[in-house]
Amino acid sequence: MLIGARRVERELGRGGMATVYAVVHARFGKRAALKLAHRAVLGPQFTSETFLREARMANLINHPGVAEVFATGTYDGRPYLAMERLTGRSLGARLEDGPLPREEALEILGELCSVLEAAHSAGVTHRDLKLDNVFLLDEPGAGGRRTKLLDWGMARIA
């Protein structure tokens, strides 16, 4: 299946508002994650514009602890976001294995505080902070960071 210029490889996850797919650009091979809104959620309270707000929030914050959104569009009347594809798992999934060692917990907390500080400096409040929206990277990213705060769709600008 093609969504825009991206070929869907597999489903990565599904939530109440959207499904996230692993995709690859059909022409030049860039791998990404594509978040496609569910048709059932679109309506007066949740429009394409509402969904695309997440891209604006990520751009406004511009922090390595926020997944980069680099394209938006629509497919079959539904909005989508193309973003950085991450490898790892949520903090919620990690905690199913048992408690974190103290040093790891402090590292994650420090990185989350850094993201939230940048968001608040930009006037953005996340409003959906939960274990499944904290993503732990398998490999350190920019600046050695291992944590990303995901899902800015509920965020608001002060």
Side-chain angles (χ1 to χ4, degrees), residues 65-131:
V66 177
E68 179 188 6
V69 178
F70 47 81
T72 63
T74 58
Y75 170 76
D76 195 27
R78 298 178 288 161
Y80 69 78
L81 307 175
M83 60 187 78
E84 174 182 8
R85 189 191 304 186
L86 306 174
T87 305
R89 60 184 173 160
S90 74
L91 179 56
R94 165 55 187 88
L95 289 174
E96 290 175 7
D97 295 342
L100 293 168
R102 177 185 160 102
E103 290 303 313
E104 186 178 356
L106 290 173
E107 178 184 342
I108 292 167
L109 182 60
E111 290 185 7
L112 282 175
C113 286
S114 175
V115 174
L116 292 171
E117 179 182 34
H120 293 178
S121 293
V124 176
T125 304
H126 188 277
R127 298 184 353 137
D128 194 20
L129 189 57
K130 60 186 180 184
L131 296 175

Side-chain angles (χ1 to χ4, degrees), residues 21-99:
Y21 297 98
V23 298
V24 63
H25 196 282
R27 292 194 181 108
F28 58 88
K30 180 174 179 68
R31 298 193 175 287
L34 189 136
K35 184 175 184 177
L36 179 65
H38 298 309
R39 183 179 314 286
V41 301
L42 295 175
Q45 299 298 320
F46 187 82
T47 64
S48 291
E49 187 62 28
T50 308
F51 187 79
L52 297 177
R53 182 183 327 118
E54 185 171 350
R56 284 194 299 280
M57 297 297 171
N59 185 56
L60 185 62
I61 298 165
N62 191 27
H63 186 279
V66 177
E68 179 188 6
V69 178
F70 47 81
T72 63
T74 58
Y75 170 76
D76 195 27
R78 298 178 288 161
Y80 69 78
L81 307 175
M83 60 187 78
E84 174 182 8
R85 189 191 304 186
L86 306 174
T87 305
R89 60 184 173 160
S90 74
L91 179 56
R94 165 55 187 88
L95 289 174
E96 290 175 7
D97 295 342

